[in-house]
Amino acid sequence: MIETSRLRLYAASRDAMEAWIDRQTVEELKTAYTEMLDGCLEHPEQWEWYGVWMIELKDGTHIGELSFKGIDSNGVAEIGYGVMTEYESRGYATEAVSAIVHWAVQQPGVTRIEAETEYGNAASQRVLAKCGFIATGRAGAEGPRFVWDH
């Protein structure tokens, strides 16, 4: 578990991930979370790099999730994140991303963290900039790519 001044971040257990998947009403999210669980089961020693991380306020209120998309053989991990609409514009995403990136780069073998945002998602791009990510000038399937090197 990672704690900040206002948040708690933790990788969900298998049971919690299965329950999370069952509660999803958007098929695209259900598929994505199922793929994440499959990654966890295929790489149990790297659970944190494949699982869903829950973002909660200190009082236990769930406000969002984040995840990595595994970690490659070069030590590169890609992060994705989201905060529920009613908790946007309060700095929670910035606080969560900053905390998880600083945790990640302290893990053995990690060389770089990357992220990708949708083209029109200026808020997410601001979060990345505040957390020290730099635009690469390249785009991926979802939009512009950003990198955090240490």
Side-chain angles (χ1 to χ4, degrees):
M1 179 176 298
I2 300 168
E3 292 199 32
T4 69
S5 62
R6 303 182 297 166
L7 304 174
R8 273 188 277 230
L9 313 172
Y10 62 91
S13 67
R14 179 180 183 164
D15 289 343
M17 283 183 68
E18 288 172 344
W20 185 251
I21 292 165
D22 288 343
R23 287 194 301 270
Q24 297 308 306
T25 57
V26 176
E27 200 57 40
E28 185 176 286
L29 291 176
K30 186 173 265 212
T31 298
Y33 290 130
T34 299
E35 289 172 0
M36 293 166 75
L37 178 57
D38 290 345
C40 288
L41 298 175
E42 290 170 23
H43 307 278
E45 73 287 355
Q46 294 181 330
W47 192 275
E48 295 87 357
W49 300 108
Y50 291 90
V52 177
W53 284 72
M54 301 299 177
I55 305 172
E56 294 180 349
L57 298 177
K58 290 272 181 123
D59 69 5
T61 302
H62 179 86
I63 66 167
E65 309 82 45
L66 55 80
S67 63
F68 295 98
K69 297 178 181 179
I71 185 166
D72 73 15
S73 60
N74 295 319
V76 178
E78 183 176 339
I79 188 172
Y81 54 91
V83 173
M84 295 163 53
T85 304
E86 59 267 34
Y87 295 98
E88 291 177 347
S89 301
R90 298 184 193 179
Y92 293 130
T94 301
E95 191 171 330
V97 170
S98 180
I100 200 73
V101 165
H102 286 92
W103 171 85
V105 298
Q106 293 176 26
Q107 306 311 304
V110 175
T111 59
R112 190 170 69 227
I113 308 294
E114 295 185 356
E116 196 170 282
T117 66
E118 294 177 357
Y119 285 102
N121 194 340
S124 186
Q125 293 172 21
R126 279 193 305 276
V127 166
L128 293 172
K130 288 178 190 176
C131 292
F133 283 78
I134 299 167
T136 65
R138 296 185 324 265
E142 297 174 23
R145 293 198 60 81
F146 297 80
V147 64
W148 193 99
D149 279 308
H150 68 89

